[in-house]
Amino acid sequence: MESRCENCIIRQFNSLRAMSKEELKQVSDSKTTKILKKGESLFEEGDKLNGVYCVRNGVSKLSKLSANGKDQIVKLASKGEVIGQRSVIAQENTNLSAIAVSDMEVCFIPKETITHTLQKNPNFTLEVLRHMAHDLKEADDVIVNISQKTVKQRIAEAILYLKNNFGEDKDGFLALTLSREDISNVVGTATESAIRIISEFKKKGLIHTSGKKIGIKDEKKLQDMVEGF
Amino acid sequence: MESRCENCIIRQFNSLRAMSKEELKQVSDSKTTKILKKGESLFEEGDKLNGVYCVRNGVSKLSKLSANGKDQIVKLASKGEVIGQRSVIAQENTNLSAIAVSDMEVCFIPKETITHTLQKNPNFTLEVLRHMAHDLKEADDVIVNISQKTVKQRIAEAILYLKNNFGEDKDGFLALTLSREDISNVVGTATESAIRIISEFKKKGLIHTSGKKIGIKDEKKLQDMVEGF
DNA sequence: ACCAACTACTGATAAATGTCATATTTTTAA
DNA sequence: TTAAAAATATGACATTTATCAGTAGTTGGT
């Protein structure tokens, strides 16, 4: 099974591209590959992480449990993204759980390899920093969206987000199928509210559905809805 | 007026403490000091920043305007914090506005000085990275709070936050006085809702007020309220 | 000290969202 | 394949929050 990091295309999308040949070799020698089925967890909130996970395939939700027992999904991480960086860098237990929302293949890289490179290779550190700066901006946007947009707007936005980030299958459905509950947890609303609004979108002809699958029929109107028209 | 960065205690609180004597000297030579009165802005959303601001005194709100014309305050930055780092690092225009909520004294450090040090001093980069990792965690917490807690809980939390981060004056009022509108923008709600809930807290004896000033009377009950009792 | 402008407050009402109960459909696994 | 379990769907209703309208109180500038 042994693919070498040096040859892995995935790393072009993340901060590992700033590593030297030598460093990549070290990563490759210390990494382990892991297969996860949908629903399995990479780690749970509060866990101490011994390394980071580089996603080769599939999608993971990063979520946090709130006092009232509901999960809030903070980010969906897919191919090329590195999960767990924040906790390893801040040397804290993780504040999020990571659960596969589709079958996944990930590489585990021990934290020593990462921290060692962080101390030796300023380009790598800077690259990680840039990624984190980007994540922070996205988080700020999410805060503004959640507090200023209606649930309807946020659901429309989530549907467009899923299309733009994960694409559509041959039948015109979103390639990443989330349960209604997951959608409500992305958006930060009650599951029933999400379901109701999705039904409404369907009645209005903005989307079509089949089981839990959703397909976009009128992208422009969905976009208008996001902007508040 | 020329105080030297080498002697500035403020920098102990931020990533500048990882700079060498030499680098600090360079910062000191390139920096300019700026005084802001309450209400004045450091920069506006969309501006291209030519450097970062190190807060010596006072507090600034970092906020983002939403489509419906309301500001969402994403962070309050005070003594020791560096504002504008994210945009400079990501080499993007800023996504936030920074406006003084009290009189301020800040040092402006040109971005060349920062980016130069980022490339040369891995310890500094790592330190900045750690700070950003921390900010990102806080942002995640805000997302969960906003979407899962009621307005009442969030206002109680905001009041406690103001006490814990900025302290109280000799009369037992919060040392940082925000307008009701600013409070509503921190919490992500309508100004009238914030006012109504603050009045309710007062009637219940959780707080006392005098004009726009708020003082905590029953911290425990406020805390219970945050947890949802 | 006084006026204008701003900010805080309150009530009435509307709109959005959550909750609970229950029916229906889809998925899962024996 | 089929029964059980899980997820989706919908209605009725409760609760929360926003909006609009108007009054009272505070503050800063002359």
Side-chain angles (χ1 to χ4, degrees), chain B residues 153-195:
Chain B
Q153 289 175 298
R154 274 140 56 200
I155 294 214
E157 189 165 43
I159 291 172
L160 292 172
Y161 172 87
L162 290 173
K163 178 188 164 184
N164 294 332
N165 285 273
F166 306 104
E168 297 173 322
D169 65 17
K170 54 197 168 313
D171 303 316
F173 291 108
L174 295 174
L176 178 66
T177 303
L178 293 182
S179 70
R180 300 293 191 259
E181 189 180 3
D182 278 341
I183 292 177
S184 74
N185 289 343
V186 166
V187 158
T189 189
T191 306
E192 296 95 324
S193 297
I195 288 174

Side-chain angles (χ1 to χ4, degrees), chain B residues 79-142:
Chain B
K79 188 191 280 193
E81 296 197 71
V82 179
I83 300 176
Q85 273 191 108
R86 206 207 63 71
S87 305
V88 166
I89 286 163
Q91 300 163 305
E92 300 167 338
N93 289 6
T94 173
N95 57 326
L96 303 171
S97 297
I99 296 172
V101 291
S102 64
D103 295 348
M104 295 185 82
E105 190 186 347
V106 300
C107 292
F108 172 81
I109 305 169
K111 70 160 180 270
E112 290 72 23
T113 310
I114 299 293
T115 51
H116 180 256
T117 312
L118 280 173
Q119 268 146 19
K120 295 288 152 133
N121 181 346
N123 283 331
F124 175 67
T125 312
L126 194 49
E127 193 64 31
V128 173
L129 185 53
R130 291 217 176 94
H131 274 268
M132 196 143 325
H134 178 254
D135 282 354
L136 184 55
K137 181 183 187 177
E138 282 201 333
D140 286 344
D141 288 343
V142 171

Side-chain angles (χ1 to χ4, degrees), chain B residues 3 19-20 72-73 90 101 109 128 144 184 218 228:
Chain B
S3 42
M19 283 191 175
S20 67
Q72 174 67 35
I73 297 178
V101 291
I109 305 169
V128 173
V144 176
S184 74
D218 192 335

Side-chain angles (χ1 to χ4, degrees), chain A:
Chain A
M1 79 136 154
E2 274 321 292
S3 43
R4 307 283 308 168
C5 298
E6 296 91 312
N7 307 320
C8 177
I9 345 154
I10 297 299
R11 77 161 208 282
Q12 289 307 327
F13 302 117
N14 64 40
S15 33
L16 270 64
R17 70 173 168 207
M19 283 191 174
S20 66
K21 272 265 175 291
E22 203 47 43
E23 286 160 344
L24 273 176
K25 195 168 168 317
Q26 197 177 42
V27 169
S28 210
D29 291 341
S30 61
K31 78 156 202 290
T32 54
T33 302
K34 197 171 174 181
I35 303 282
L36 289 176
K37 284 207 287 285
K38 178 175 170 178
E40 290 181 337
S41 93
L42 222 40
F43 52 80
E44 298 282 340
E45 208 175 324
D47 284 358
K48 188 163 173 303
L49 300 189
N50 295 313
V52 301
Y53 298 88
C54 177
V55 181
R56 281 172 66 94
N57 254 307
V59 180
S60 169
K61 59 178 174 184
L62 299 180
S63 67
K64 189 171 173 179
L65 200 64
S66 70
N68 62 35
K70 274 173 126 172
D71 262 339
Q72 174 66 34
I73 296 178
V74 161
K75 186 177 165 71
L76 293 168
S78 59
K79 189 192 278 193
E81 295 196 73
V82 179
I83 300 177
Q85 272 191 105
R86 207 207 62 71
S87 305
V88 166
I89 286 163
Q91 300 163 305
E92 297 166 340
N93 290 5
T94 174
N95 57 326
L96 303 171
S97 298
I99 296 172
V101 291
S102 65
D103 294 348
M104 295 186 81
E105 190 187 346
V106 300
C107 292
F108 172 81
I109 305 170
K111 68 161 181 271
E112 290 71 22
T113 310
I114 298 293
T115 51
H116 180 257
T117 312
L118 281 173
Q119 267 146 22
K120 295 288 153 130
N121 181 347
N123 283 332
F124 175 66
T125 312
L126 194 49
E127 193 64 31
V128 174
L129 184 54
R130 290 218 177 95
H131 275 267
M132 196 145 321
H134 178 255
D135 281 353
L136 184 55
K137 181 183 186 175
E138 281 200 337
D140 285 345
D141 288 342
V142 170
I143 291 172
V144 175
N145 273 342
I146 286 198
S147 73
Q148 308 285 14
K149 289 188 178 155
T150 64
V151 172
K152 210 177 284 188
Q153 288 176 298
R154 275 138 57 201
I155 294 209
E157 191 165 41
I159 292 172
L160 292 172
Y161 173 87
L162 291 174
K163 179 189 164 182
N164 294 331
N165 286 272
F166 306 104
E168 296 173 322
D169 66 18
K170 55 197 168 311
D171 304 316
F173 291 108
L174 296 174
L176 179 66
T177 302
L178 293 182
S179 69
R180 302 293 192 257
E181 189 180 4
D182 278 342
I183 292 177
S184 75
N185 289 343
V186 166
V187 159
T189 190
T191 305
E192 295 94 325
S193 296
I195 288 174
R196 225 180 286 277
I197 288 167
I198 289 171
S199 298
E200 189 190 324
F201 285 180
K202 189 177 170 182
K203 267 184 212 126
K204 284 190 183 160
L206 306 181
I207 60 173
H208 55 115
T209 68
S210 166
K212 57 172 57 169
K213 283 187 290 184
I214 293 176
I216 293 176
K217 272 175 79 177
D218 193 334
E219 183 158 355
K220 173 145 188 357
K221 276 201 188 137
L222 275 175
Q223 189 56 53
D224 286 350
M225 172 139 274
V226 173
E227 333 258 277
F229 302 123

